Amino acid sequence: MKPIGPLMREHRLIERMLALLERESKIIASERQADSSFIDKAVDFFEVYVDWTHHGKEEDIYFKKASDKAMSLEHRRIMNELIEEHRQARKLIKDLKKLNSLYKNGESSLLNGISTAIDSMNKLYPAHIEKEDKHFFFPSQELFSKEEQNEMLAEYDSFDAKMIYLKYTELVDEL
């Protein structure tokens, strides 16, 4: 397996969650209420799975190793755009989390803000995923030898193994 394989498989799960978020946005529009429990779970998914785990592997392993290679200016530009889009996604999730928290505390006027944050995520992520999959991952994999690819796959496994510990350490710290 190539190092882009696990990342692209993770993209498919992210796309499934985006479809659920899109459904929630439609419910908000038609029923004028949000399922704050669902939104809490979606936020947790994006914070832990997407940002910490998925973006973590991309930024801390794949992009870092790619940046040390003789990459074309076009691919370096795309990689920098992808990193910036990760920052934008973090902000959207942070905003959605805050809006949902206020909504749960009775601020029903925030429905439009919740819907806007969800719609912004559903606009950002599909284009972002396509850019990664088709315009960065496939062309950039040729930068790495078979040995380097195997090392990255091993690093992914180590990275993933730490995530459950980090998540629940954060939970205990919060409590």
Side-chain angles (χ1 to χ4, degrees):
M1 179 186 303
K2 298 207 178 273
I4 65 171
L7 300 174
M8 291 174 71
R9 186 175 53 243
E10 290 169 1
H11 283 167
R12 305 299 73 86
L13 186 58
I14 295 165
E15 289 168 338
R16 289 175 57 200
M17 178 56 86
L18 289 168
L20 295 171
L21 278 172
E22 185 174 353
R23 182 185 71 188
E24 179 62 18
S25 182
K26 289 176 182 174
I27 292 170
I28 291 170
S30 66
E31 298 180 12
R32 298 305 303 154
Q33 65 181 13
D35 181 346
S36 57
S37 175
F38 166 78
I39 294 171
D40 281 340
K41 291 172 186 167
V43 165
D44 181 71
F45 174 84
F46 276 92
E47 284 180 333
V48 177
Y49 183 78
V50 177
D51 194 37
W52 294 4
T53 306
H54 176 73
H55 291 166
K57 283 192 293 260
E58 287 176 340
E59 292 179 9
D60 296 345
I61 300 171
Y62 196 90
F63 293 172
K64 187 175 184 179
K65 291 183 181 302
S67 69
D68 292 339
K69 299 290 185 175
M71 188 185 327
S72 73
L73 291 176
E74 175 67 6
H75 288 127
R76 194 164 300 277
R77 180 191 62 76
I78 291 171
M79 185 176 69
N80 290 333
E81 285 177 8
L82 294 169
I83 292 167
E84 177 54 33
E85 289 167 3
H86 289 175
R87 286 188 196 106
Q88 292 170 15
R90 285 181 193 108
K91 181 174 181 340
L92 287 170
I93 291 301
K94 183 178 176 184
D95 291 348
L96 181 59
K97 185 176 187 175
K98 182 177 180 180
L99 288 165
N100 192 49
S101 177
L102 293 169
Y103 176 78
K104 286 190 301 189
N105 288 324
E107 301 220 17
S108 58
S109 63
L110 298 175
L111 274 176
N112 287 341
I114 290 170
S115 189
T116 298
I118 290 171
D119 293 345
S120 295
M121 290 171 59
N122 270 314
K123 183 178 179 184
L124 174 69
Y125 268 104
H128 173 79
I129 288 171
E130 180 178 349
K131 187 186 298 184
E132 280 183 339
D133 285 357
K134 294 181 180 173
H135 304 288
F136 187 73
F137 286 156
F138 277 113
S140 68
Q141 67 184 335
E142 68 188 36
L143 296 170
F144 304 106
S145 69
K146 182 69 174 162
E147 182 180 299
E148 290 170 319
Q149 291 178 26
N150 289 334
E151 288 171 6
M152 270 193 276
L153 288 168
E155 285 183 62
Y156 289 175
D157 289 341
S158 294
F159 193 92
D160 285 347
K162 292 185 284 187
M163 286 301 112
I164 192 95
Y165 175 78
L166 291 174
K167 174 169 176 44
Y168 289 104
T169 298
E170 182 183 82
L171 173 71
V172 171
D173 289 347
E174 183 180 309
L175 295 174

